[in-house]
Amino acid sequence: ERAPEAESAYRQSMAVLDTALPGDDPRAAYPHSNLADLLTETGRAAEAETEVRKAIAIRTRALGPAHPETLASGGLLTQVLLQLDRLDEAEANARTLLVRDQGRDRFATTQLRAGLGQVLLRAGRFAEHQRARGTVDHLPEASLAAHTEHADELIDNIALDASHVEH
């Protein structure tokens, strides 16, 4: 296992970048995000939350809340909150990200929907997936953002099909 080496490298990178770059430089977010991912993968979600929130703060300042990199960090936060079993926060975060994304990038939108799908499944709300499945198939992509008050409809078939495998 090389996780300790990777963690050390990320922390060294953070120390250098945090002092060398201005606070609004988005490159400073990379080691925080990478470390958060590593900590999540090694079961250290509480520590990961701190790092991913730092990455989100940097990217929000530098790139804005709807930038794809900011949204990707937000998606990692959803996974961290899910791992911490803070389902209400994870769901709220996932729904906020979908509103910010507004369907601009189909790949990113699919990933964000899948994150929401994982939260709903963990919460035992599979029936919402079943209702959403029929609705999402008939909604044009551009209209999804207009229906965010019905965010359950934002779960697409990829997330639904993946959920069948997990059960």
Side-chain angles (χ1 to χ4, degrees):
E1 165 127 349
R2 306 208 43 173
E5 286 179 58
E7 181 177 348
S8 177
Y10 291 143
R11 291 190 188 281
Q12 288 174 6
S13 177
M14 278 188 293
V16 169
L17 292 178
D18 286 348
T19 58
L21 297 175
D24 61 349
D25 190 314
R27 295 174 296 176
Y30 285 110
H32 293 283
S33 184
N34 291 338
L35 180 58
D37 192 39
L38 175 70
L39 293 169
T40 302
E41 289 178 18
T42 58
R44 296 163 56 194
E47 293 173 75
E49 181 181 7
T50 300
E51 296 304 325
V52 75
R53 287 188 186 278
K54 288 178 184 176
I56 291 168
I58 293 166
R59 288 181 169 144
T60 300
R61 274 193 314 272
L63 305 169
H67 189 278
E69 289 187 32
T70 308
L71 295 173
S73 291
L76 179 55
L77 178 60
T78 297
Q79 295 305 309
V80 168
L81 294 170
L82 189 61
Q83 196 174 85
L84 292 169
D85 205 33
R86 289 168 33 199
L87 302 182
D88 290 342
E89 288 177 75
E91 181 179 353
N93 185 64
R95 291 180 188 279
T96 298
L97 296 171
L98 283 164
V99 170
R100 288 179 183 160
D101 176 61
Q102 297 182 347
R104 284 186 287 256
D105 178 331
R106 291 178 74 76
F107 179 75
T109 302
T110 299
Q111 289 183 311
L112 295 173
R113 289 181 193 158
L116 178 58
Q118 289 175 327
V119 173
L120 293 172
L121 286 171
R122 176 76 67 80
R125 293 162 57 192
F126 186 72
E128 292 178 54
H129 288 280
Q130 297 296 49
R131 286 194 309 274
R133 178 177 221 146
T135 307
V136 171
D137 288 342
H138 300 355
L139 282 176
E141 187 73 20
S143 71
L144 288 176
H147 292 87
T148 54
E149 69 274 14
H150 303 291
D152 297 331
E153 297 173 357
L154 296 174
I155 306 300
D156 67 358
N157 290 331
I158 293 172
L160 292 170
D161 292 341
S163 72
H164 293 293
V165 174
E166 293 177 18
H167 279 326

